[in-house]
Amino acid sequence: MTAPVIRGISSMATRQVLADLVAGFAQQTGTQAAIESVGGVDAAKRVAAGEAFDVVILASDPIDKLMAAGHLMPGSKVDWVHSGVAVAVPAGAPMPDLSSEDAVRAAVLAAPSISLSTGPSGVALSKLFERWGIAEQIAPRMVQAPPGVPVGSLVAKGEVALGFQQLSELLHVQGIQIVGPLPPAIQITTTFSSGIGMHSQQMDAARSLLAYLASPAAAEAKQKQGMTPA
């Protein structure tokens, strides 16, 4: 009899690192996991609508909300990785200066088109543009990436001149140049967490997967994807 597969859902930001870690977990334990990666907003909606998953892997805030609403097992939350935001331009385009907050503000004001993700980093950047007092000025040049569509793919097609997204999501996109991370003064770090679905039939297996994601054995895969262990 084959062991049941752990079923999970995650946001796109952690898709690549989870592919690596799920393979490592299977090698170590013999237990397979199938994690579906979609836009984070859509993932949270599906869990909230009652779709059954053994594990749910999203940014910390949506995990807290799903747990408070009774969709995830109380006390099952595990913070496992931090992810920072980087900036990309189309391949061959001039590289803007990102050395300071003022330099990034100037680059945003100079860009003919700008795109942010629909996830937590995009929300935080929108607030930053409001704090800078430029949100209205740049609004006509903002290109919204649909949920689940990487900002980097819009940059690669030349539809966007300046793209902001988590480094992990930009690393493997062809046709772009990663200019670099945001400077420390305005860096936006998203903590990704995981929780066990309220209706999971595989609590023990799910718990061991979440422990593996947060373990030292997972550190190398996280660093390879431009992330840091939580």
Side-chain angles (χ1 to χ4, degrees):
M1 186 174 146
T2 55
V5 174
I6 298 169
R7 181 168 182 248
I9 192 165
S10 80
S11 58
M12 295 296 287
T14 53
R15 179 176 59 92
Q16 193 63 52
V17 70
L18 282 171
D20 294 348
L21 291 176
V22 161
F25 178 72
Q27 205 170 5
Q28 191 180 81
T29 65
T31 303
Q32 302 291 330
I35 312 290
E36 183 185 353
S37 296
V38 299
V41 175
D42 291 339
K45 279 182 186 163
R46 284 170 59 181
V47 177
E51 195 170 338
F53 294 99
D54 297 306
V55 296
V56 179
I57 301 167
L58 295 169
S60 180
D61 188 45
I63 290 288
D64 287 340
K65 286 178 177 161
L66 289 167
M67 198 165 281
H71 300 293
L72 299 176
M73 287 293 296
S76 68
K77 181 184 177 188
V78 176
D79 295 338
W80 64 283
V81 76
H82 300 306
S83 182
V85 171
V87 182
V89 296
M95 306 266 267
D97 178 10
L98 303 177
S99 60
S100 67
E101 182 172 347
D102 285 344
V104 175
R105 186 176 183 273
V108 170
L109 285 171
S113 53
I114 305 138
S115 188
L116 319 173
S117 81
T118 52
S121 65
V123 173
L125 280 161
S126 297
K127 287 180 181 162
L128 178 65
F129 298 158
E130 281 169 24
R131 178 164 74 72
W132 284 346
I134 64 172
E136 281 185 32
Q137 187 180 342
I138 64 172
R141 293 182 268 142
M142 295 297 294
V143 180
Q144 181 66 70
V149 174
V151 168
S153 68
L154 303 182
V155 176
K157 289 180 201 157
E159 292 172 22
V160 170
L162 195 66
F164 293 81
Q165 196 157 30
Q166 286 168 42
L167 175 60
S168 59
E169 292 194 73
L170 294 172
L171 275 178
H172 304 287
V173 180
Q174 301 293 314
I176 68 170
Q177 294 178 105
I178 297 172
V179 186
L182 289 174
I186 55 167
Q187 178 56 270
I188 296 156
T189 302
T190 301
T191 298
F192 286 94
S193 307
S194 50
I196 298 174
M198 207 62 181
H199 305 294
S200 172
Q201 302 296 305
Q202 304 183 73
M203 293 284 180
D204 290 343
R207 205 169 276 119
S208 66
L209 173 60
L210 300 197
Y212 179 79
L213 294 183
S215 73
E220 191 182 335
K222 293 170 189 177
Q223 280 149 1
K224 197 174 84 181
Q225 300 302 334
M227 298 171 151
T228 54

